[in-house]
Amino acid sequence: MNWLITDNTAPAAALGKIPEVSYADFYNDLAAKLADVRYHVAHYFALPSGDRLRFFCLLLDDNTGQVLLASHAMGYHDETALPSLTALHPALHPFERDIAERYGVRFDSMPWPKPLRFPFDRFDRSSSMDNYPFYTMKGGSLHEVNVGPIHAGIIEPGAFRFICNGEQVLHLEIALGYQHRGVEHLFEHTDNLLRRMCLAETVAGDSAVAHATAFAEAVEKLTKRERPAELERERTVALELERMAMQIADTGALSMDVGYQLGQVACEALRTLTINTTQAWCGNRFGKGLVRPHGTDHPLTPEKARMIRRNVGEIARRYAEVCRDIESSPTLLARFEQCGIVPREEMQRIGGVGQAARASGLARDIRTSHPWASFAKCLHHRSIVQQQGDVMARLTERCREAAQSAGYIDRLLELYEQKYAAGPTPCPAPDYTAALAPSSLSFRRRLQDLPGLSVDRGLFGEAGVTGLDHGLQGEGPVIGQGSRVRISSASVRALGSGRIASRVRALGPIPARHRIVRKHRHHAHIARIDRAAGHLRQRPQKRGQRSGRHEQHDGQGQRYRSGHALRRATLLVDARQKAAHAEHAPGDAAAAPQLGRVGRPRRSRRPAFGSPGRLVAAQRIDDV
């Protein structure tokens, strides 16, 4: 069969140049190729094209690094059933289910013909979550357990249906689609490229940089413009920082699942230090605003590069200690080893990719098989592969890859310092006006593993900040629901953790009258810094409003809410910090942000993981 052969670094492919073949030829050739472990499907989707429905398939060849493109078509109102590829290769089931749900295409002999996402524009409007056809089994000793769709955490709603025989779980089915944000619809109905970038960053809270990079590079392919090597290097550093943060977070989630509290709190603290490093770079803990098409608003500087190298080295050292403690604990090993085994053959059959596949001995890693950017130039990635396929193998995969990411970051920043020791990276500013190639297919595989195909993620993986409106409002990035921050990353940074309000070290001069959002337990409070007054004050209530809590007066007729959730805060200026800032120039390395000490673990009264809270102020703030 005729395929259009390209690769991960080639420009966008015009739709007219993608071969269109009969479905019989497509079925036979794809079925034969998928029997070989070297091939797996990256995407298979359909798009209306006039009075026809055209299907596109992207097939990856992991041996040669090639990407194969082909298509087939049928009449838009044609009711002919297509032979199902899922019957031969179960890895195709989400693609065929999505096509059937959207357009009403019938696949003959489809073994799992169930709705997938329940989009608002689905073909069968009578299909709903209320009549979802859960799998059932009959037997006198069997019982069903339903969990959800509402959960105690901040994860997406989902119904979990267990079929059990005593304590043995025989079957688990997960039904999603209870909640939709309409991201795809918003992408289609806006021409504002900056808004599209903000949408890409909010697809998933645990991979904001990965999704933003994938979208930005897909756009750059459509403009047919080359990226500077410096820009590619900076994006790779940001991607590996995000990978480190999520590997550490998932290690903490696994520790929590087996009741290992020390490992949980240690990983939470280290994850906080990791994402705070990203915030010191670009002003957002999740890296939002860092990646933009054709350029960046936050280029690296020698001071930031040294700060990132220093912080990453310390994080890697502490995380290695946590991993050694886990691997040397007999009680933890008893819970992780020989548990949840996914053999290599089964992982290949279901189409596993990324980290989950590598933990089962299936070396699928696009940094090796389809390298691009820094991975195709200055970094020569070697995949870390485990063979056991159990929970311990997946945990070990995380530990090893986090250390590997730290090494990559150090290597890239070392190259940067050697070349740009005297000034910032000459990266261009973003360009949102470049014309895109019409009727073309641009693709970019996400560097991070797909959350839906990862295993043992716990509650932390996909929680993140997916449900919050992180977009562009006014002058600053949103870090809460409608709240704004106008503090530059060079001026302030949230560090460390204390009991409630956190103690934060002074990092530099603070612009007067800046607004700061502070998340305090379950409340978001607006405060402002008044440099002339020299103290931090909460916004006063209007007269006549009662909070139901104790109220205080400032002696000038203004009332302040206090009690168990709000405290009077006083900005204590450390004379030594002021003297230090007076000695160093603004661009001096000694004034660069430093990692704060992690205090003793708090009780679990903080906001849930992924909350944009815990951004306190600058200088030193104590609860009184």
Side-chain angles (χ1 to χ4, degrees):
M1 192 186 84
N2 186 23
W3 294 81
L4 175 63
I5 299 177
T6 180
D7 59 48
N8 205 21
T9 61
L15 297 183
K17 294 184 178 181
I18 299 178
E20 184 176 316
V21 299
S22 67
Y23 184 74
D25 292 342
F26 174 80
Y27 177 91
N28 293 329
D29 194 71
L30 186 59
K33 280 183 166 56
L34 291 180
D36 190 340
V37 68
R38 63 186 284 186
Y39 294 105
H40 66 279
V41 174
H43 205 359
Y44 178 39
F45 62 97
L47 290 175
S49 177
D51 59 349
R52 301 192 311 159
L53 193 64
R54 193 174 179 191
F55 301 73
F56 296 90
C57 180
L58 283 75
L59 184 68
L60 303 186
D61 185 342
D62 291 339
N63 283 9
T64 63
Q66 295 176 337
V67 180
L68 285 66
L69 306 178
S71 69
H72 63 89
M74 64 183 299
Y76 190 85
H77 300 287
D78 191 347
E79 297 184 357
T80 303
L82 302 177
S84 173
L85 281 161
T86 303
L88 299 177
H89 302 287
L92 271 295
H93 86 89
F95 305 116
E96 290 189 345
R97 289 171 61 190
D98 182 63
I99 293 171
E101 187 176 29
R102 286 176 178 270
Y103 305 110
V105 177
R106 294 187 299 114
F107 289 96
D108 191 27
S109 302
M110 170 68 170
W112 203 253
K114 297 187 178 187
L116 184 67
R117 300 192 303 163
F118 295 95
F120 76 96
D121 56 350
R122 57 189 178 275
F123 181 82
D124 183 5
R125 297 303 178 88
S126 64
S127 174
S128 69
M129 298 302 303
D130 296 333
N131 56 24
Y132 181 83
F134 280 101
Y135 181 77
T136 59
M137 297 174 63
K138 295 182 179 180
S141 61
L142 302 181
H143 65 280
E144 292 185 352
V145 178
N146 185 68
V147 179
I150 305 302
H151 300 274
I154 58 173
I155 64 175
E156 174 189 352
F160 296 73
R161 186 69 60 89
F162 297 84
I163 300 178
C164 307
N165 183 6
E167 294 185 354
Q168 183 181 10
V169 178
L170 302 179
H171 186 267
L172 166 62
E173 185 171 359
I174 303 175
L176 304 175
Y178 288 88
Q179 192 175 60
H180 293 275
R181 295 178 294 150
V183 173
E184 293 180 356
H185 182 77
L186 292 173
F187 265 109
E188 294 173 359
H189 292 81
T190 179
D191 295 327
N192 189 318
L193 185 55
L194 175 58
R195 178 166 172 76
R196 288 179 175 177
M197 281 300 311
C198 294
L199 287 172
E201 291 173 331
T202 61
V203 171
D206 62 354
S207 49
V209 176
H211 278 96
T213 302
F215 180 73
E217 295 187 359
V219 168
E220 290 162 354
K221 279 189 171 187
L222 288 170
T223 62
K224 300 180 180 180
R225 286 169 51 180
E226 294 291 332
R227 289 183 302 276
E230 294 80 5
L231 184 62
E232 292 180 340
R233 184 183 300 116
E234 292 188 12
R235 288 179 180 177
T236 304
V237 171
L239 286 165
E240 294 302 319
L241 263 176
E242 182 174 73
R243 182 187 295 272
M244 282 188 67
M246 293 307 112
Q247 303 289 30
I248 294 171
D250 286 344
T251 303
L254 286 171
S255 299
M256 178 188 67
D257 290 341
V258 296
Y260 182 44
Q261 189 176 13
L262 178 60
Q264 175 195 350
V265 296
C267 288
E268 286 181 358
L270 291 175
R271 172 193 169 272
T272 299
L273 301 183
T274 309
I275 61 178
N276 280 351
T277 300
T278 303
Q279 177 171 310
W281 179 1
C282 68
N284 186 279
R285 297 194 305 166
F286 300 100
K288 295 182 178 181
L290 180 58
V291 179
R292 292 292 182 260
H294 304 295
T296 178
D297 291 320
H298 303 279
L300 276 174
T301 62
E303 293 78 11
K304 288 182 179 180
R306 286 192 290 271
M307 176 270 298
I308 295 173
R309 289 187 69 184
R310 181 174 57 250
N311 292 359
V312 167
E314 179 66 12
I315 292 165
R317 183 188 65 79
R318 297 189 197 179
Y319 182 60
E321 294 178 358
V322 175
C323 293
R324 284 195 296 269
D325 290 342
I326 292 176
E327 293 173 352
S328 61
S329 172
T331 57
L332 293 178
L333 295 178
R335 288 168 171 81
F336 289 152
E337 291 180 337
Q338 301 299 310
C339 176
I341 298 175
V342 183
R344 183 180 186 276
E345 294 75 16
E346 182 67 14
M347 186 62 72
Q348 178 185 347
R349 192 178 73 90
I350 65 176
V353 297
Q355 178 178 283
R358 295 192 291 273
S360 293
L362 187 60
R364 282 184 176 166
D365 190 334
I366 62 170
R367 294 172 293 177
T368 302
S369 59
H370 300 78
W372 83 103
S374 295
F375 292 104
K377 299 174 182 177
C378 53
L379 296 179
H380 301 285
H381 176 68
R382 297 186 63 180
S383 299
I384 298 173
V385 180
Q386 307 295 319
Q387 302 296 330
Q388 295 80 9
D390 56 4
V391 176
M392 189 64 205
R394 293 186 280 273
L395 175 59
T396 304
E397 186 77 18
R398 288 181 172 88
C399 296
R400 304 294 184 269
E401 289 200 1
Q404 188 181 54
S405 295
Y408 288 160
I409 293 171
D410 187 74
R411 173 61 178 157
L412 291 171
L413 294 180
E414 181 184 12
L415 294 175
Y416 168 83
E417 291 180 357
Q418 291 174 358
K419 191 172 183 180
Y420 302 104
T425 307
C427 287
D431 183 4
Y432 304 105
T433 61
L436 306 182
S439 301
S440 299
L441 175 63
S442 177
F443 62 90
R444 170 65 73 196
R445 293 300 304 278
R446 237 178 6 112
L447 177 61
Q448 316 297 65
D449 299 333
L450 297 174
L453 294 178
S454 186
V455 186
D456 306 325
R457 296 190 62 85
L459 298 181
F460 290 107
E462 298 179 52
V465 290
T466 304
L468 298 180
D469 288 325
H470 284 245
L472 193 67
Q473 297 189 4
E475 297 85 357
V478 176
I479 68 163
Q481 299 185 5
S483 304
R484 288 185 295 176
V485 171
R486 298 172 60 189
I487 300 294
S488 66
S489 60
S491 301
V492 299
R493 175 174 175 237
L495 293 174
S497 58
R499 285 181 57 243
I500 297 177
S502 301
R503 298 163 65 94
V504 183
R505 184 181 305 174
L507 301 176
I510 305 175
R513 306 182 68 84
H514 271 327
R515 300 176 63 201
I516 294 180
V517 176
R518 191 176 113 194
K519 195 85 172 180
H520 190 246
R521 289 202 185 168
H522 304 295
H523 302 273
H525 311 305
I526 305 298
R528 68 182 179 88
I529 292 180
D530 190 334
R531 195 186 331 183
H535 61 273
L536 180 72
R537 300 188 299 182
Q538 296 174 9
R539 177 173 291 179
Q541 286 185 284
K542 296 180 180 179
R543 288 189 177 274
Q545 291 184 352
R546 296 194 61 83
S547 64
R549 299 183 178 89
H550 178 65
E551 297 178 348
Q552 297 178 352
H553 295 264
D554 66 350
Q556 300 177 357
Q558 303 284 11
R559 292 187 297 176
Y560 296 88
R561 297 169 59 181
S562 64
H564 73 275
L566 293 178
R567 308 287 181 88
R568 288 291 305 275
T570 303
L571 184 62
L572 304 178
V573 180
D574 192 332
R576 289 175 298 176
Q577 292 286 350
K578 294 180 66 176
H581 286 296
E583 293 175 3
H584 298 292
D588 196 282
Q594 306 286 330
L595 279 176
R597 290 184 57 192
V598 179
R600 63 187 181 92
R602 295 179 292 174
R603 306 202 45 163
S604 58
R605 284 182 148 180
R606 58 178 177 78
F609 174 89
S611 167
R614 287 191 275 170
L615 177 64
V616 196
Q619 309 253 346
R620 180 175 174 178
I621 299 176
D622 292 341
D623 259 20
V624 294

